[in-house]
């Protein structure tokens, strides 16, 4: 058994725990920002391949108390790095600290890198070189007030980089935040889904992949593939099963629109490149005017959107005009739909003159947001 830590956007820890259980993990402990878990390697591979929520999955290599920088150097020097990867590979070290009394994060980063290289020199006569842009092996140090944990990143590039989105416009969402919102909405493939402010199409890409049962990691590579203990046979079996489980597009009922033609073009290019265009209907349109797609299904249609939220004062004024109109448009055209709006602008429900049925705090990167749920039962919701 190995110890791992999977990180995720804050607010999505319970969903990440579900993904880990689905990957075969039984021993796990959620904390703010992620989940600690103990598992065999195949579970780690499966979680990297299938989790839409995880940001990274880190493999714990060393853990100990420290009082000064030298203690961290000694901890790193004692870890058996040359048995984990080879001196010919490039590395990058990153350090995150919470409440650490040590003054310089750069200096700690340097000391960990020195210790890894010194250990390689002592054991193998050569040392890895540093590549901060495209390292083959990423090492993470996590420092609290008096403890240091060292990890190797089994994901490599962060897991929200699915390799699908080439073009972005205006404030794109992280893919794992979008996937988390889809899950929080309770949307299931087969139920109509609309993002009327789709930008570069992040929700649409996540939904279409989900409808087609395509594993989010099927088209990329991972850090664990570059480690000495990598089991190609185990990985190939997992990948083959994932490919076998993919489904044809059918009538996916996933719809996207945006007022900006450039955004619709970006979403179209991204979906097309990912082979997901057959699952999605796209058009240009103003959310204030579009009609709801017909919903022949038994469940309410789901609208998910991430409206613009201004940072400048002039934008805030514009939004104060847009939101009341948006509230009226939802009442007029989306009766019977469940609508989910992610925003950092907490004035939104009041300005829309709608009472949210639920508010979920979520982080999009460092920005604190709310996911507001509005169940558009005809005639209700009025403040
Ligand atoms: C924050 S961005 C959405 C980003 C998107 N979720 C993504 O990941 O790329 C907001 C989008 O709302 C669109 N928008 C603004 N006003 C609109 C309106 N009245 N009708 C439709 N779309 C609108 C903008 O063009 C922009 O693409």
């Amino acid at each position: 058994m190995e110890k791992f830590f999977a990180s995720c956007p804050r607010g999505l820890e319970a969903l990440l725990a579900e993904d880990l259980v689905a990957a075969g993990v039984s021993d796990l402990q959620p904390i703010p920002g992620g989940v600690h878990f103990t598992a065999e390697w195949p579970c780690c591979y499966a979680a990297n391949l299938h989790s839409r929520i995880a940001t990274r999955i880190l493999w714990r290599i060393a853990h100990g108390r420290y009082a000064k920088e030298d203690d961290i150097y000694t901890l790193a020097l004692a870890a058996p790095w040359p048995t984990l990867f080879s001196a010919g590979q490039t590395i990058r070290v990153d350090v995150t600290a919470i409440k650490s009394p040590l003054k310089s994060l750069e200096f700690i980063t340097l000391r960990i890198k020195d210790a890894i290289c010194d250990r390689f020199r002592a054991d193998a006569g050569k040392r890895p070189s540093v590549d901060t842009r495209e390292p083959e092996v990423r090492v993470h140090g996590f420092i609290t007030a008096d403890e240091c944990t060292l990890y190797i990143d089994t994901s490599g590039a962060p897991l929200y980089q699915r390799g699908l989105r080439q073009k972005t416009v205006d404030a794109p969402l992280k893919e794992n935040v979008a996937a988390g919102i889809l899950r929080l909405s309770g949307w299931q493939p087969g139920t109509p889904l609309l993002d009327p402010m789709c930008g570069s199409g992040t929700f649409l890409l996540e939904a279409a992949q989900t409808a087609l049962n395509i594993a989010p990691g099927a088209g990329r590579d991972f850090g664990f593939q570059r480690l000495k203990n990598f089991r190609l046979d185990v990985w190939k079996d997992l990948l083959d099963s994932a490919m076998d489980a993919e489904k044809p597009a059918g009538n996916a009922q996933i719809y996207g629109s945006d007022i900006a033609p450039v955004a619709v073009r970006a979403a179209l290019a991204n979906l097309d490149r990912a082979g997901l265009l057959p699952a999605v209907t796209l058009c240009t349109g103003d959310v204030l005017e579009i009609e709801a797609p017909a919903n022949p299904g038994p469940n309410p249609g789901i609208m998910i959107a991430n409206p613009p939220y201004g940072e400048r004062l002039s934008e805030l004024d514009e939004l104060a005009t847009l939101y009341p109109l948006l509230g009226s448009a939802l009442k007029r055209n989306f009766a019977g739909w469940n609508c989910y709006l992610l925003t950092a602008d907490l004035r939104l429900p009041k300005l829309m003159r709608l009472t949210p049925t639920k508010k979920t705090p979520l982080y999009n990167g460092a920005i604190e947001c709310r996911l507001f749920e509005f169940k558009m039962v005809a005639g209700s919701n009025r403040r």
Side-chain angles (χ1 to χ4, degrees), residues 1-6 20 25 27 29 35-45 48 57-60 151-152 154:
M1 287 283 191
E2 303 290 340
K3 287 192 161 80
F4 299 95
F5 178 71
L20 294 173
V25 176
D27 179 3
Q29 187 205 354
V35 178
H36 287 287
F37 66 99
T38 306
E40 302 287 3
W41 275 100
C43 295
C44 170
Y45 294 0
N48 270 295
I57 300 179
L58 304 175
W59 176 30
R60 183 161 145 165
Y151 297 98
I152 284 181
T154 73

Side-chain angles (χ1 to χ4, degrees), residues 52-334:
R52 291 197 172 276
I53 307 297
T55 299
R56 305 178 172 284
I57 300 179
L58 304 175
W59 176 30
R60 183 161 145 165
I61 306 297
H63 176 80
R65 294 176 76 82
Y66 77 91
K68 52 190 188 308
E69 284 87 351
D70 269 355
D71 301 335
I72 296 177
Y73 174 88
T74 308
L75 180 78
L77 188 69
W81 305 103
T83 66
L84 311 179
F85 60 95
S86 65
Q89 289 174 305
T90 54
I91 60 168
R92 169 184 171 131
V93 178
D94 286 283
V95 172
T96 313
I98 296 178
K99 295 188 184 149
S100 168
L102 301 183
K103 286 202 183 66
S104 161
L105 275 193
E106 285 86 56
F107 187 57
I108 303 170
T109 308
L110 203 66
R111 293 303 282 154
I112 295 172
K113 188 269 292 170
D114 285 347
I116 296 170
C117 292
D118 289 349
R119 179 65 194 253
F120 264 101
R121 246 192 242 103
D123 289 17
K126 355 178 228 213
R127 50 154 282 186
S129 51
V130 171
D131 180 347
T132 51
R133 281 170 54 92
E134 287 194 32
E136 289 168 283
V137 178
R138 292 167 194 253
V139 174
H140 290 263
F142 180 67
I143 317 260
T144 62
D146 55 2
E147 287 180 320
C148 170
T149 313
L150 299 176
Y151 297 98
I152 284 181
D153 188 339
T154 73
S155 304
L159 295 174
Y160 54 76
Q161 291 179 9
R162 324 261 200 240
L164 300 183
R165 208 174 54 184
Q166 295 277 301
K167 293 188 190 301
T168 57
V169 287
D170 222 18
L173 269 184
K174 289 235 160 62
E175 288 82 343
N176 54 349
V177 176
I181 292 169
L182 275 171
R183 291 256 288 275
L184 290 171
S185 78
W187 172 76
Q188 294 287 333
T191 301
L193 178 84
L194 167 68
D195 178 354
M197 300 171 126
C198 69
S200 45
T202 317
F203 283 122
L204 305 174
L205 286 158
E206 287 301 309
Q209 270 207 334
T210 305
L212 274 58
N213 210 25
I214 298 172
R220 51 162 282 163
D221 63 5
F222 296 93
F224 60 73
Q225 292 171 278
R226 298 186 280 272
L227 300 179
K228 282 188 172 170
N229 64 7
F230 175 52
R231 293 272 312 273
L232 181 62
D233 53 339
V234 173
W235 174 235
K236 263 193 89 322
D237 283 352
L238 276 168
L239 211 49
D240 288 347
S241 315
M243 302 282 184
D244 290 347
E246 289 181 7
K247 296 178 184 160
N251 179 16
Q253 297 199 73
I254 300 171
Y255 305 89
S257 54
D258 198 288
I259 198 166
V262 63
V264 177
R265 278 199 297 276
L268 192 126
N270 289 332
L271 286 158
D272 190 27
R273 214 185 135 267
L276 297 169
L277 207 46
V280 180
T281 308
L282 271 179
C283 65
T284 308
D286 186 337
V287 67
L288 304 179
E289 287 164 11
I290 57 168
E291 296 200 352
N295 179 8
N299 301 318
I302 306 261
M303 174 196 284
I304 294 199
N306 159 216
Y309 41 91
E311 276 160 26
R312 288 189 297 274
L313 224 54
S314 60
E315 288 171 337
L316 285 174
D317 283 351
E318 273 172 38
L319 295 179
T321 318
L322 172 69
Y323 290 156
L325 298 175
L326 182 58
S328 309
L330 295 194
K331 282 183 231 162
R332 199 172 52 243
N333 295 331
F334 290 89

